[in-house]
Each structure stands twice: as structure tokens, then as C-alpha cells.
Amino acid sequence: MLKKHLYKYILLVLAFSLTVILIMACAGSRTDNFASEDTLKSSLNSSYGKVDTGPLGRYNPTIDISFVRGIDEDFAKNVLPKTPGETIQDNRWLRLYRDELGINVKYAWAVRGNETSDVYTQKINVTLASGNLPDVTLVNPAQLRQLVDSGMIEDMTEYFDKYASPLTREVYNQEGTATLDSATINGKLMAIPEPYSFVEAAQYIWIRNDWLTKLNLQAPKSMDELLKVAQAFTTMDPDRNGKKDTFGVAITKDLYGGGMGIEGFFAGYHAYPNMWVEDASGNLVWGSTLLETKTALGKLAGMYKAGELDREFGVKDGSKVAEAIAAGKVGIEFGAQWSPMYPLISNFNNDHNADWTGYPLVSADSKKAMVPLKYNQTRIFAVKKGYPHPEALVKMINMHLEKNWGKTADFNRYYMPIENEGVGVWKFSPVVPTPPYKNLDAFLAIDKAREKNNPNQLKGEPKAIQTNLDAFYKGDITKWGWEKIYGRNGVFKILESYKANDQLLPDKFVGPSTNTMAEKKAVMDMMEKEVFIKIIMGAAPIDEFDKFVSDWYKIGGKEITQEVNQWYEFAK
């Protein structure tokens, strides 16, 4: 679609020409000499691909659209090798978009690493700085703010309103308005985020049951009991090798995250760092600055001093800590439902006696532990200013959801084909929106089928998962992780109880990055982790926390808190 000022310019030229003709002819019909504006737009659009206004309507002729993308380890090492004949540039998803939508997808560049990796972040920052954007750019909230402030991207409000399918609208609102809010700036939807699932951020306590059995211990039901288990895993030689080479809890230099993050530990002391929570007056505050966080840091410092945490965790990222788990050196990990797929299965592969089981978060007192659900939107698609078909992005999102969860879904072909060992071929698509509750819904469907002893009633994703479960029960140990998640006692059973007990605590700020966040938040987050790590490792006293809070507000926290609460007041 050409810019409006171009249309007006063309119309002005035509109107001027008409005036000359009228003066010369002194008569004649106005409509005999030029097209209507709608006809003109249709004519101009035809050279770029006529738009079918339906949510899944096809362009004719085919249009081009360029993206950039990251390539994660699973895609590189698992999906590609098991889908012979398909590549990043030529695969079932790109052919589907071309054949059914008339959209020809191209990549300006691709790098090894997902959208949160350092290599992708560096590459995208160079792209943004150059101003040489592809048609669609995958960005995070801070980068989105940068693009909006520079006027480099399209306002997507009208395109989402006009082209989003009913299924897309349903999926995007399953957990409220958070997803669209994350890209709405000054009342305008400035990009299209992928749906973010709060419930997928829920953490569980993953514990080696075989170690509990060896040491004659029970699964912990309180923080005190958990601390005793961690101590025993460190001092009582649970691997029976005669060495003091194990420790209680996995922890990384990043502190937070779905894998090996310690948000679940903090929650046991009613502390919720790295997210926005309501205070007693109903205002939003950064959880990292509250006294409960100081209490939890003190407990971690005591564990570190006792050798229950890796002495070198302050310099180890997730991959390094995963190596320790794989080697059988750790007995407790706080992680999301997918932890059995990574990093826990690597331990099981090395030691089939390693029996990791998920347990619910526990509390330090009689008050229930809330389960922190950090809102961490990282997949936002921004359309370059001037790209003639912004709505093409919405159509691709419609198609991805339709072919996996819609009325014409072909889950086996487009999501997890059995003939390709159930790998996630959905990753071939540059856009990968998913329903927020899809995994929990799959578990509930499987559990219902188990109760009725009728697995034949399953279809789509639940059927594919049940196939993996059946394979495990028949001896295929490569499917171990599926049983830990979706089995009769899988962790989604715990998520059910979290919901029933009203324990889920979503991040209260789900809006776009504020101006001060975009400018200062990265540095502030770095400071937070550095101070917390020093406190835990004993390099700084616990009262250093108070100085951290003061510094946090001085270097930008005051302004950010004001901006966040202004947003919150408007969003209520």
C-alpha cells in the first residue's frame, strides 16, 4: 500500500489535468476523465500484489517479505537433521505461505542463537543502528521503543483490527490484554508480539528422588525442610563416590530464568525479584527492592558459605551449570515445566538412576508461597515504515495458528510430525504464535483420556504427546522428559493445584518499555545481579542490599517507577 501523501499527490496531478481539460473544453463530465480514488488505489496496488481482505486471503501476484531470525540449538541439532530435504530457505512452512497466501518469505540474515542470545542481540543492534531494516524485524521491548522513537516502523493498529482472524483474536486474549499491551504505545499497536504465556513461566522444585531415597529423606514441604535436603545433598555423599563433590541447588550468574533460575527459592520467602508487584497501597514496586528479597539473599549467602551452592556460580552461565547437572553434581533445580527436556535429561542420559521429579514451591511460614510469573516478552515483530503490505504479517500469524490449532489444522504435518520423530517443525516458520494454555490443555486432555482409559479419543498435540508417552512406557528412554511433564504425576498436575489454590502471581507491568527503561534498565539490571551475587558469595555484607536499593532509585528507578505506575493507572 503506498503512503497516503503519494495518493494525494497523484490525485492532485490528475485534478490539475482535469481543470485544464475543463477550461479547454468548457464542458464535459468530470467522471469521464479520471478514476475514483478507490479505483486508483486498486490500480496502484496491483503492481505490488492485490490484497484479499480475508484473514487467510491470497495475494495475486505473490508478494515478497523479508525477515531476520535466530537459529536455536534444537533447530540446528534436532529439527534440521530429522527433516531431510528441508532447509531454512525452503521448507513446508515457507511453501505453505507462498502457495496459500501468496507470500514469499526471504531472510535478510540468520544467526546461530535464539532471539535472547548475545549473538542475535549484537546483530540486531547493528541492523537497527544502520537503519537498513528488513520488512519485518524481530525485536525486544527496548528495541521496539527505539524504532518507535525514530519513526522507522508502521502503526499496526488498523491491520490487526482488519485482518486478525477470530482464532487469532481468541488466542491473543486468552490471558487478558498483556500480549497486545506490550507493543501498544500512546494508544497505538506499533508491532505484533507473539502471545506470551504466563503459566509457562511457573517454576517447580525439581529434586533427585533417588538421592532422597538413598539418604532416607522425604520431599520438602517447607523452606526449612528444603534447606535440610540441600545440606544433605552437599554433605552426605548422595552419589556414593566417597567424595565431597556434590551440592544442593543449581544457580547461575544470571540468577533468574525458566531453567536454573532461583525465583522459586525467593518465592519461599515471599520475595519476588525481577518483576513488578503491588505494594500495600496498590502501587507497583520493583520486587528486587523489597525487604523480603534481602531475607532470601541472606539465606542464599548462608548456603554458599556452607558449600551448598557452586563456589564458581558467579561466572557460570546456564550451559556451564547444565554441565554440572549432567555430571550428577546437583540435586535440586528450580525450573519451568520444560526442565526435563533441558537440562535434566542430560543427567538421566548419563545415569538412568537419576530420578528427577517436580514438586510444588514451598513456604518459609504458614503463608502460601505465590508462584511468580515474570512477563518476559522477547518476540515482537515490527514492520518497516513504507513496506507496502503490513497486513501480510498478520495473515502469516493467522495461518500458523490455523494450521496447528484451527478447524483445518494438520498438526502432524506442521507441528510435530510422527514420521520425523516428533521434532518441532513449527520452528521452520519465522512467526511461531502459540495458544498460552496449549500445554496445560494438552495435559488435561491426556489426563481425561487416562481416567476413561480411552487414548483413542485424543487428537492433535495431545495425541502426539501420548505417542511419546507410549514410546517411553515401551522402553524408549529418549522420551523420559515427556513422562516427567505429561505423565500421570507430571508437573502439570502441580500447575492444576497452583491454579486451584490461587497461587499464581503474574507480573503487574506488561506494557511497552518506558523511555527511562529503554535508556537505563539494562545497566540497572546488571548492577542488581552484581550486587546480589556479591552478597550471596560473601564478597559484600547483607546490608549492601540497602545501598543497592538507594542506588537503584537514584540512577533511574524513581523515574521508571513513576512511568510504570502511570501506565498501571491507565491500564486498570
Side-chain angles (χ1 to χ4, degrees), residues 253-256 263 266 272-276 286-290 293 297 374 520-536 544-545 548-549 551-552 555:
K253 67 180 181 67
D254 296 313
L255 298 182
Y256 313 124
E263 291 95 327
F266 280 98
Y272 307 101
N274 197 41
M275 60 185 282
W276 293 91
W286 186 238
S288 302
T289 65
L290 300 180
T293 298
L297 285 171
K374 167 70 175 176
K520 298 181 178 180
K521 190 66 164 51
V523 173
M524 295 167 67
D525 288 346
M526 188 181 303
M527 178 189 73
E528 176 178 318
K529 290 177 183 178
E530 288 178 354
V531 173
F532 286 9
I533 288 172
K534 285 182 179 180
I535 291 174
I536 295 170
E544 187 72 13
F545 176 84
F548 152 74
V549 174
D551 290 343
W552 188 87
I555 66 174

Side-chain angles (χ1 to χ4, degrees), residues 137-154:
T137 309
L138 176 60
V139 295
N140 62 33
Q143 293 160 345
L144 173 63
R145 171 66 69 171
Q146 177 184 341
L147 289 172
V148 170
D149 290 345
S150 61
M152 297 173 68
I153 57 176
E154 291 284 346

Side-chain angles (χ1 to χ4, degrees), residues 384-428:
K384 180 176 66 175
K385 191 78 170 179
Y387 175 63
H389 292 292
E391 73 285 342
L393 172 63
V394 182
K395 286 172 172 278
M396 291 175 65
I397 289 171
N398 293 340
M399 181 64 78
H400 194 274
L401 289 170
E402 175 63 27
K403 287 302 179 182
N404 288 318
W405 293 281
K407 294 179 180 179
T408 64
D410 190 350
F411 190 88
N412 186 67
R413 174 161 179 76
Y414 292 108
Y415 202 83
M416 291 168 52
I418 296 174
E419 59 272 21
N420 295 92
E421 300 184 35
V423 296
V425 298
W426 51 272
K427 291 188 176 184
F428 277 117

